[in-house]
Amino acid sequence: MWKKVLIANRGEIAVRIIRACREAGLQCVTVYSTADKTALHAEIADESVCIGPPSVQDSYLNMNALISACQNTGAEALHPGFGFLSESAEFAQLCIDNGITFIGPSPASISMLGDKARAKETMKAAGVPVIPGSDGAVTSVEEAKKIAAEIGYPVLVKASAGGGGRGIRRIDREDQLEEQMSVAKEEAKLFFGNDEVYLEKLIVGPHHVEIQIIADQMGNTVALGERDCSMQRRNQKVLEESPSPLMTPELRKAMQEAAVRAAKACGYYNAGTIEFLVDDDRNFYFMEMNTRIQVEHPVTEWVTGVDLVQTLLVAQGKPLPFTQDDIEVRGHAIECRINAENPEQGFRPSPGKIRSLHIPGGPGIRVDSAVYQGYTIPPYYDSMIAKLIVHAPTRSQAIMKMRWALAEFIVDGIDSNIDFQLRLIKNKDFEAGTYDNTFLEKFLADSKNDKDNGK
Ligand code: ADP
Ligand code: ADP
Ligand code: MG
């Protein structure tokens, strides 16, 4: 089998994969743009190759440069991480065509699930509950109006190729439809190079609850409990926890079964996440499937004890070393995403030099980070610089641990969202576990009003 893996990513996920490769006895090669010469993933790998200038188009999204880097270093496999090319069926196929193992699902699964409108149709046919909406893409405003009237306003128009919360627009009344549909199409075209959109009923006050699965190439598919990612700003996750505060044993069983059915319906192997919305009556609906390792995977690793970079084994064609019966969810884990940004100034990114850094530690505390003291964060990439994850026997103990870990965390020289995360963790609705996907936007609006009123 292969001995050397190329990691086609940067930041904390590249560092996470380097560590996993080392534990598996594999050599690791990383790639970097000229803006990332001193980045941690470039510094600590066995070998690192410059693949281009700062712009992602010319570096981390440059397929030919990545294939050449594999060929020049003798890497036999490639791990895409998340973001960048992780959900590109074209790139996965290009790796295979060049004799490089793509550590992920098959290109066919990626392209089927990456088309969110088509994925919903497949899931519906497999008996997985989906959010009411258009059957596939909608092309004309007239057709959209007809469907929206049938399912009832408010509705969302969503990009078929969407990701990262982009290309989603809310429509409350028919007279807004034409304009919002065109806005969503433009954004989708800009971000994903594909302006196809579909319609979905807006679930009011929903909870984002997703099921982690892992499947091998023999068809063994195991569900690893859920994560609650309802704490979102602009449809992007800010904080995640497992178990979900609204979970019951029956709901978990039903959602896990639906997730396994969803994965099997598309012959899926690799780690993957089936995202659902859950309403107040605990009805759940399939939203999309992410065909890669996810930012928030550590919370699942902690409550299940399963290392999700087992995908290295799956990609080698080996069977999973456990079955569903071996999986038990233990204790409670919470993750806070630590971003270089200023919450007081509309979450404006804050690149720059880290003058001093203190990372919390102790039992039940894990920090996956890509920064070090003296490191200069470049302005070109995602603002997430670290993830702080805690684990404790109960949710309230995990919250207490997270409070003190955040309070201890120091990143000086740049702005960060650490104090903002601390305010969220101390919030009464968070503590009570009653928050839903709309909580954070309301929290921000309330804080703004308090400030405007001089409170
Ligand atoms: P999750 O947080 O559930 O892992 P996200 O959708 O937030 O998933 O995406 C993870 C990372 O990938 C983020 O850095 C996000 O900005 C990026 N990302 C997700 N989808 C896309 C996409 N289609 N194009 C570019 N980047 C994406
Ligand atoms: P992306 O591919 O960008 O991650 P998703 O389809 O996963 O897009 O949706 C991102 C977020 O948008 C969800 O977690 C949820 O908060 C919100 N959302 C999406 N669809 C709906 C819906 N039908 N009703 C209410 N909220 C939704
Ligand atoms: Mg999503």
Side-chain angles (χ1 to χ4, degrees):
M1 260 312 173
W2 23 275
K3 295 197 172 58
K4 209 186 237 190
V5 175
L6 183 132
I7 301 159
N9 215 298
R10 65 181 305 282
E12 60 82 24
I13 194 64
V15 175
R16 166 78 182 92
I17 299 163
I18 292 172
R19 291 175 178 152
C21 288
R22 293 205 162 131
E23 280 181 30
L26 298 163
Q27 294 261 312
C28 48
V29 183
T30 56
V31 294
Y32 63 94
S33 72
T34 51
D36 270 347
K37 197 167 169 24
T38 59
L40 194 60
H41 77 279
E43 298 274 12
I44 69 171
D46 299 317
E47 284 171 78
S48 201
V49 181
C50 184
I51 46 162
S55 117
V56 293
Q57 288 304 331
D58 298 322
S59 53
Y60 298 102
L61 293 177
N62 185 340
M63 299 191 194
N64 292 328
L66 290 163
I67 298 291
S68 301
C70 287
Q71 288 162 344
N72 294 339
T73 55
E76 303 121 307
L78 179 146
H79 199 304
F82 53 65
F84 298 127
L85 294 169
S86 60
E87 290 173 285
S88 165
E90 182 192 349
F91 183 59
Q93 188 60 53
L94 189 67
C95 288
I96 295 167
D97 292 345
N98 282 279
I100 300 157
T101 303
F102 181 78
I103 304 174
S106 69
S109 305
I110 301 176
S111 67
M112 204 282 283
L113 292 160
D115 179 340
K116 292 166 72 181
R118 212 174 119 210
K120 273 183 75 178
E121 288 184 281
T122 307
M123 294 309 159
K124 210 171 152 183
V128 178
V130 301
I131 302 171
S134 57
D135 286 327
V138 280
T139 45
S140 74
V141 174
E142 288 320 307
E143 187 193 353
K145 283 185 179 168
K146 199 167 147 266
I147 296 164
E150 274 166 30
I151 58 179
Y153 289 91
V155 299
L156 292 180
V157 54
K158 298 172 71 172
S160 298
R166 296 235 159 77
I168 302 178
R169 283 288 175 286
R170 174 181 174 145
I171 302 164
D172 289 288
R173 301 183 312 269
E174 190 179 283
D175 62 4
Q176 300 170 334
L177 195 143
E178 184 160 7
E179 190 189 333
Q180 291 305 311
M181 193 166 149
S182 98
V183 173
K185 273 177 168 294
E186 268 165 47
E187 193 171 307
K189 180 97 201 145
L190 185 73
F191 282 101
F192 314 114
N194 172 353
D195 74 349
E196 194 182 278
V197 293
Y198 62 105
L199 276 194
E200 214 166 77
K201 187 165 177 62
L202 179 101
I203 307 287
V204 178
H207 300 259
H208 176 119
V209 181
E210 57 186 34
I211 303 287
Q212 175 74 54
I213 61 109
I214 186 163
D216 64 27
Q217 299 190 36
M218 292 76 161
N220 302 308
T221 307
V222 175
L224 300 168
E226 78 286 354
R227 292 183 290 256
D228 195 309
C229 313
S230 302
M231 199 61 90
Q232 299 183 357
R233 179 178 161 267
R234 300 195 171 163
N235 302 323
Q236 280 172 23
K237 301 162 186 168
V238 172
L239 174 162
E240 302 94 347
E241 60 178 318
S242 183
S244 164
L246 53 79
M247 199 43 64
T248 62
E250 299 75 37
L251 181 62
R252 180 179 290 146
K253 187 161 181 285
M255 289 183 74
Q256 289 199 146
E257 279 170 11
V260 167
R261 209 156 57 234
K264 289 198 163 170
C266 37
Y268 192 85
Y269 54 83
N270 186 47
T273 297
I274 297 91
E275 296 189 336
F276 295 97
L277 288 183
V278 182
D279 67 18
D280 278 338
D281 298 324
R282 293 199 168 84
N283 298 306
F284 64 90
Y285 308 93
F286 171 87
M287 190 161 52
E288 66 160 339
M289 179 161 176
N290 292 328
T291 56
R292 53 170 164 81
I293 192 93
Q294 223 149 334
V295 174
E296 57 274 21
H297 75 275
V299 296
T300 296
E301 298 192 316
W302 224 332
V303 295
T304 60
V306 170
D307 180 343
L308 279 162
V309 188
Q310 297 274 3
T311 47
L312 290 170
L313 288 181
V314 169
Q316 291 178 33
K318 295 185 183 150
L320 289 177
F322 49 80
T323 66
Q324 190 67 58
D325 290 341
D326 299 320
I327 304 302
E328 200 184 326
V329 172
R330 282 215 185 108
H332 200 97
I334 307 174
E335 169 181 278
C336 287
R337 299 189 184 199
I338 308 301
N339 299 333
E341 65 187 12
N342 187 328
E344 304 296 316
Q345 293 174 18
F347 296 85
R348 192 183 65 182
S350 176
K353 183 166 179 174
I354 297 184
R355 299 200 181 281
S356 74
L357 178 70
H358 169 72
I359 287 186
I365 295 180
R366 166 174 170 184
V367 178
D368 280 17
S369 138
V371 293
Y372 54 87
Q373 192 157 310
Y375 172 63
T376 300
I377 301 165
Y380 310 100
Y381 312 108
D382 198 272
S383 58
M384 191 178 76
I385 54 169
K387 306 185 301 208
L388 170 59
I389 310 104
V390 301
H391 183 248
T394 65
R395 184 169 188 268
S396 61
Q397 287 168 314
I399 291 175
M400 186 57 85
K401 204 183 271 287
M402 182 59 93
R403 272 196 191 195
W404 289 106
L406 283 166
E408 201 188 301
F409 209 143
I410 298 169
V411 186
D412 267 349
I414 56 151
D415 296 324
S416 85
N417 66 340
I418 293 174
D419 289 344
F420 177 74
Q421 289 281 19
L422 196 50
R423 282 175 55 213
L424 285 181
I425 282 285
K426 288 180 175 171
N427 180 274
K428 289 275 167 284
D429 291 314
F430 178 74
E431 210 174 304
T434 50
Y435 66 103
D436 64 31
N437 290 21
T438 59
F439 169 84
L440 189 48
E441 299 290 349
K442 279 188 230 139
F443 176 82
L444 286 168
D446 290 347
S447 322
K448 187 173 178 299
N449 289 339
D450 286 353
K451 219 165 145 192
D452 293 349
N453 297 328
K455 276 193 206 158

